[in-house]
Amino acid sequence: MGRIVGFTALRAVGATRAVHGIELLAPTDIDVTPGQAVVLRGPNGAGKSTLLHLLAGAARPTSGQVLLDDVGVDERSPRVRQVLATLLSPIAGYHELTLQDHLVLVDQTWGGARDTCADRVNAMLSRLDIELLRHRFLHEMSSGQRQLADIAMTLIRPSGVLLLDEPEQRLDTERRALLAQVLMEAKRAGAALLVACHDETVTEAIADDVVTLAPVTA
Amino acid sequence: MSDGTDERERLYTLRALAYGGHSPVERMSFPLYVVALFAGIYGVTVAQGVLALVAADSTRRDAFAAWSPPAVGVLAVAALLAAYAFGRVRGPVVPDLSLVDLAVPTDIQRAAVLQPWWRAVVLTTVLAGGIVGAVAGAGLAIQDLGPPVSPVIGGGIGAGYGWLLVHVWLRGQVLGAEDAPEVRDVLHTEDALCQLRRATIRSQAALDRAVTAALYAGDAAHLRREASLGRPRARQRRLRPAGASWVLLRADLLILRRAPYAAATGLALVAVATPVVVWALGQEGVLLALGVGLVVLNAGAGALMRGLRSCADQVASPSLLGMPIARCALLHTTVGLVPIVVAWTASAVWMGGGVAPGTTALVGILLTVIGSQVLGAFRGSPPTSMILGPESGGVLALWLILPHLVPLCVGLTAGGVASQGAQPAGILLLLGVAGLVLGLWRLRVNTAPQR
């Protein structure tokens, strides 16, 4: 897990999202503080991914507000990017770079010290039990391996909040348990977690609070 | 078990169900007729116009007579090699996906199932070769660079070459697959068709469909990902830590090391186009040379900037890298700009050009290339209204070639200024800034949070 970036609170206040008059997210309030894990649940189409996109500043709420330390969230803001590490969709990555290359690239562009970069990369590969994948190109991995690679790229950078959309997807039972452990370690280190998750075991292991989104009716 | 008559009936039924009984050859006939018509009207005009430059004086005629046969020979061999290599990715025999699932797995002999598509592509290639040959021959005859029967000879040679090309292409498709047969097993075309594996045909048909869909949607990024050719090489090379900006530049160099063909193509195009541009800037009345030179230069730089396009493919999700997307994009252009500067300096020294106006023009061209490449990478999809209208085909084509129009327009405008006897450096700089602003504007639009 990368260095923890300090923040006070990430909040959604009455946030809604509608596109072309179609409601994607009913008014929602949510509040996450350092060291807290909130799991989002709800049926398909309830707006979990939409809410995560709003909290990441990748989309704007149609009404209501999304605030990081009382300032509106916009992904283009350097402060927002520093605090929020997101895994909302598969990472496109670079076709000609291996997983290890990607981890070095992410670590270095986020300001990691050069002399200890290899240690952080090795530790991340080891923690997620994907050392065998270090010299594979992303397109050479199975879907489950790819999910672990994406998680590694998300966790290695410094952050204060982890916004993860169904990180347990495509992982086998053993890897889901490993994921839960890794997320618990991040939480103990002081990171906040906001995770959309359908897996009972992972939810039980990490959640301080479970928010269930009701299906959008309109 | 099936006999020949039974197979023919079943195949006819399949075609009748899929295409109302029309064979692929019948479906190709109208587009071929249109192409032949346009080639006759416009192709001959263009060919004789280009060859008029050669026919203008005896020195050029002599050089043309001496150099054109080996040059055409080299190009012909290169095209055969390219066709063989391309067959591995997309061969000539690619029926519609539904037919691949319906007809190919049946017990009908594979060659018989695939023959209609094979015949259609042979006909298309032979006719296309014949048309190109006849058009070139007509241009030669009109400019008195060849005998009056040149169109007939050219048409015959072109058709023959087309036949050869499509057969080499088919062998590439068969021999490029995993667990490929021996060369001696595919010498006869029917044997080659029988050796085609269903998995190969299906994956190529799926790729074909995805690329077509991306083309119809004007989605250049999807098109690029789907058509991404080649397996990365030099796996044993590692990206070393180097700080935020330098690591990105190192990554770009590593990407080129792992994509050697793209790197070689890019460097070759830059090496060829830069002296042309430098030369054209010092001439009057070479409006076209500057425009075409800049387009080729831009294409060469683009082949080197693979990292820029990967960076643009990530705009759908929040930032992976710890820097603003604009900075990331601009850093990724460095790998394409450095060879231009090197080639420019070498060309200027070689031709003895002035340094001060040369520098201004160089900066203008670099800005044009950056703007064009950033525009190309971040242009996004065209607005829905544009792809639903009656003129959607033209609009989509324009959308896809938009980034190449930037250097063309800049080059033609600067060439126009030069043809009036004025210095084109200033206008190049001005247009370069405009191109950069255009590219950065699209980047900003496409990376803004969704409203």
Side-chain angles (χ1 to χ4, degrees):
Chain A
M1 176 71 197
R3 180 172 50 84
I4 300 297
V5 178
F7 76 105
T8 308
L10 174 66
R11 297 161 59 207
V13 184
T16 69
R17 173 86 173 151
V19 175
H20 302 308
I22 299 168
E23 190 180 42
L24 303 180
L25 178 68
T28 304
D29 294 322
I30 208 159
D31 199 329
V32 209
T33 52
Q36 185 192 7
V38 177
V39 170
L40 299 176
R41 306 191 66 173
N44 293 335
K48 300 182 294 296
S49 300
T50 304
L51 178 59
L52 286 172
H53 273 85
L54 295 184
L55 288 163
R60 290 183 181 174
T62 307
S63 64
Q65 286 181 303
V66 176
L67 304 166
L68 174 66
D69 296 346
D70 296 326
V71 178
V73 171
D74 185 326
E75 198 270 331
R76 291 171 297 182
S77 151
R79 165 75 181 153
V80 169
R81 285 203 305 274
Q82 273 174 1
V83 175
L84 308 180
T86 61
L87 181 57
L88 306 183
S89 54
I91 293 170
Y94 291 77
H95 184 69
E96 292 88 0
L97 295 186
T98 62
L99 173 58
Q100 178 176 304
D101 297 332
H102 274 91
L103 292 175
V104 170
L105 189 62
V106 173
D107 177 81
Q108 289 295 282
T109 56
W110 283 102
R114 287 172 63 172
D115 51 348
T116 50
C117 176
D119 298 337
R120 287 187 295 278
V121 169
N122 290 335
M124 183 56 67
L125 291 168
S126 168
R127 187 67 195 93
L128 289 171
D129 194 19
I130 49 175
E131 284 148 311
L132 290 174
L133 304 179
R134 74 165 65 221
H135 299 314
R136 287 225 197 142
F137 297 105
L138 300 185
H139 58 269
E140 293 176 333
M141 296 178 191
S142 73
S143 60
Q145 291 172 333
R146 185 61 205 273
Q147 180 73 357
L148 288 167
D150 286 358
I151 291 169
M153 285 188 265
T154 308
L155 293 182
I156 198 168
R157 48 154 292 190
S159 65
V161 184
L162 290 170
L163 295 170
L164 310 173
D165 194 357
E166 299 182 21
E168 80 285 5
Q169 264 184 44
R170 300 183 291 276
L171 300 184
D172 58 40
T173 314
E174 221 170 281
R175 300 303 171 108
R176 287 185 180 205
L178 175 64
L179 171 72
Q181 285 173 25
V182 170
L183 293 180
M184 277 303 292
E185 286 167 18
K187 194 173 93 166
R188 278 192 219 107
L193 307 179
L194 232 167
V195 184
C197 183
H198 290 292
D199 185 279
E200 295 289 346
T201 320
V202 175
T203 303
E204 271 178 31
I206 65 169
D208 295 312
D209 195 4
V210 175
V211 174
T212 304
L213 299 182
V216 176
T217 49
Chain B
M1 297 301 287
S2 56
D3 59 30
T5 314
D6 182 33
E7 282 190 356
R8 275 198 299 277
E9 280 177 9
R10 288 162 69 193
L11 282 170
Y12 178 80
T13 309
L14 273 171
R15 278 211 302 275
L17 282 169
Y19 309 119
H22 295 295
S23 69
V25 170
E26 288 166 332
R27 292 161 66 209
M28 286 305 299
S29 52
F30 183 70
L32 278 173
Y33 162 73
V34 173
V35 169
L37 201 65
F38 273 84
I41 296 169
Y42 299 109
V44 175
T45 311
V46 171
Q48 66 106 2
V50 170
L51 290 169
L53 298 172
V54 175
D57 66 59
S58 59
T59 315
R60 287 183 190 173
R61 274 173 173 269
D62 292 344
F64 180 77
W67 287 103
S68 58
V72 169
V74 168
L75 283 177
V77 172
L80 289 176
L81 293 174
Y84 184 84
F86 186 55
R88 181 188 293 262
V89 183
R90 204 290 189 194
V93 184
V94 180
D96 302 291
L97 199 52
S98 50
L99 265 289
V100 175
D101 289 339
L102 256 172
V104 174
T106 63
D107 61 349
I108 305 173
Q109 200 196 24
R110 186 147 297 175
V113 175
L114 299 176
Q115 273 292 352
W117 283 271
W118 169 243
R119 281 197 206 107
V121 80
V122 169
L123 176 74
T124 306
T125 320
V126 167
L127 279 179
I131 289 168
V132 171
V135 164
L140 290 169
I142 292 169
Q143 291 301 328
D144 207 19
L145 291 165
V149 291
S150 292
V152 179
I153 298 171
I157 293 173
Y161 180 73
W163 182 89
L164 179 64
L165 188 84
V166 77
H167 279 78
V168 170
W169 188 15
L170 173 65
R171 270 59 182 188
Q173 185 178 18
V174 182
L175 298 173
E178 277 182 30
D179 196 17
E182 297 292 322
V183 176
R184 64 172 178 274
D185 296 331
V186 297
L187 291 177
H188 291 104
T189 300
E190 193 165 317
D191 295 340
L193 291 172
C194 284
Q195 293 284 355
L196 272 172
R197 290 178 181 278
R198 184 187 167 211
T200 305
I201 304 172
R202 198 180 192 291
S203 66
Q204 294 195 354
L207 174 70
D208 206 48
R209 179 184 274 194
V211 167
T212 308
L215 271 172
Y216 278 142
D219 186 345
H222 189 69
L223 179 64
R224 196 165 54 238
R225 282 195 299 275
E226 290 296 343
S228 177
L229 306 178
R231 186 174 296 179
R233 288 145 199 268
R235 188 191 296 269
Q236 74 282 5
R237 301 265 168 182
R238 308 278 177 257
L239 180 63
R240 306 284 175 207
S245 298
W246 285 107
V247 78
L248 212 62
L249 300 179
R250 278 192 177 184
D252 277 326
L253 292 176
L254 182 60
I255 286 169
L256 289 182
R257 179 70 185 78
R258 287 183 175 154
Y261 294 125
T265 306
L267 289 174
L269 291 177
V270 168
V272 168
T274 308
V276 173
V277 171
V278 173
W279 170 79
L281 280 170
Q283 310 292 314
E284 289 179 20
V286 287
L287 184 141
L288 198 60
L290 193 53
V292 173
L294 269 185
V295 169
V296 176
L297 183 68
N298 183 58
L304 299 171
M305 295 179 193
R306 293 172 76 89
L308 172 67
R309 288 183 287 279
S310 293
C311 168
D313 289 345
Q314 294 167 36
V315 295
S317 52
S319 179
L320 171 68
L321 304 183
M323 62 176 70
I325 191 90
R327 183 175 158 210
C328 181
L330 292 176
L331 278 170
H332 274 309
T333 64
T334 311
V335 73
L337 300 181
V338 171
I340 297 178
V341 175
V342 172
W344 183 282
T345 308
S347 305
V349 169
W350 178 41
M351 293 177 198
V355 174
T359 307
T360 311
L362 172 61
V363 172
I365 286 167
L366 293 179
L367 293 178
T368 303
V369 170
I370 297 171
S372 160
Q373 294 298 333
V374 172
L375 174 67
F378 290 91
R379 92 195 89 165
S381 298
T384 314
S385 57
M386 286 171 70
I387 56 176
L388 293 180
E391 305 297 330
S392 60
V395 170
L396 285 173
L398 185 71
W399 190 262
L400 287 171
I401 62 165
L402 188 64
H404 304 287
L405 292 180
V406 173
L408 183 66
C409 292
V410 170
L412 291 180
T413 309
V417 169
S419 68
Q420 303 295 317
Q423 265 295 337
I427 191 76
L428 267 176
L429 187 61
L430 196 67
L431 292 173
V433 171
L436 181 65
V437 169
L438 183 66
L440 291 177
W441 168 67
R442 283 310 298 177
L443 181 147
R444 190 170 169 74
V445 167
N446 272 294
T447 54
Q450 298 161 18
R451 287 181 176 280

